Amino acid sequence: FLCILLCQLNSCDNETNHTVCNSVEFSWGNDDIQGVDTYEIIRCSGCDSISFRKGSSTSDDFEPDDNGNIIYPETEEIYPNRLMGRSALEGVYSLPEKVRSIYKETHVALCTKLKILAGVGIRALVEAVCLEEKAKGRNLERKIDNLVDKEVLTKRNAAVLHRTRLLGNDAAHKIEAASDPELDVAFDIVENLLETVYIIPKKAERLR
């Protein structure tokens, strides 16, 4: 049978039909709680990639449907992990080595929902760009402003980047995780920075 899942493997990067190739179901429980775990080998109908899916539901987690009936929602884990719209940058190998390394680790943290690590990684990415571009200043705020003085960034882009810096501060110093939408937008901002500073200039060089 088919299920609809996100596929970010190979060329799909979208929600596609997946064929369940094999499935095993285990029921468990005691006097206090019961549950069902389903393990599935699934195959993307778009790119033929093979993944593993685990679905779980318990008697402790329930909610009413539109008709007032009690339902038990299923939580889902997919391996490899996926996050809608979060493919790696196409020109990632145009990035300086240290920046590229931090970018890859932060991308993995974001896609695997390691929210605090993703927030710290986003801040580290901005720090890495400042270091690479030899930005001056006693803190990250001043360094971002110095990128404007060096004409690496526009004032408008710097103002947006400051918001990303604050998100990273909360993750690093307050150990507070941002929400998925906040992290998604923050990573968009940082990716835009990387494209502006490194990827687009590299592409322009090839046109000469």
Side-chain angles (χ1 to χ4, degrees), residues 89 91-96 99-100 125-134 147 152 190-206:
L89 281 172
V92 67
Y93 288 100
S94 296
L95 304 177
V99 176
R100 183 171 69 246
L125 265 173
V126 179
E127 290 267 18
V129 172
C130 290
L131 182 65
E132 190 71 27
E133 299 304 312
K134 297 179 172 57
L147 290 179
V152 175
V190 173
E191 284 190 329
N192 180 263
L193 168 68
L194 299 179
E195 287 182 320
T196 300
V197 178
Y198 301 114
I199 296 174
I200 293 176
K202 284 281 187 181
K203 288 181 178 178
E205 287 178 5
R206 300 188 196 110

Side-chain angles (χ1 to χ4, degrees), residues 91-139:
V92 67
Y93 288 100
S94 296
L95 304 177
E97 183 178 352
K98 288 184 179 179
V99 176
R100 183 171 69 246
S101 177
I102 297 172
Y103 173 82
K104 286 183 174 181
E105 290 188 18
T106 305
H107 181 262
V108 170
L110 186 64
C111 290
T112 52
K113 296 189 180 295
L114 301 176
K115 296 182 182 181
I116 291 178
L117 292 181
V120 173
I122 287 170
R123 177 191 167 89
L125 265 173
V126 179
E127 290 267 18
V129 172
C130 290
L131 182 65
E132 190 71 27
E133 299 304 312
K134 297 179 172 57
K136 298 178 180 179
R138 58 185 177 84
N139 55 36

Side-chain angles (χ1 to χ4, degrees), residues 5 58 92 132 185:
L5 297 170
T58 73
V92 67
E132 190 71 27
V185 170

Side-chain angles (χ1 to χ4, degrees), residues 140-180:
L140 185 55
E141 180 180 9
R142 297 291 177 84
K143 289 176 182 177
I144 291 173
D145 290 337
N146 187 238
L147 290 179
V148 177
D149 298 334
K150 295 167 71 70
E151 298 184 345
V152 175
L153 285 179
T154 65
K155 287 185 177 181
R156 183 175 181 179
N157 286 346
V160 174
L161 204 58
H162 280 307
R163 299 176 200 168
T164 302
R165 172 181 60 82
L166 295 175
L167 181 148
N169 286 347
D170 288 342
H173 303 305
K174 298 180 181 179
I175 319 300
E176 292 181 359
S179 66
D180 285 339

Side-chain angles (χ1 to χ4, degrees), residues 8-23:
Q8 263 199 324
L9 307 175
N10 296 327
S11 60
C12 284
D13 193 23
N14 207 342
E15 286 187 336
T16 60
N17 287 329
H18 283 64
T19 302
V20 178
C21 303
N22 209 337
S23 176

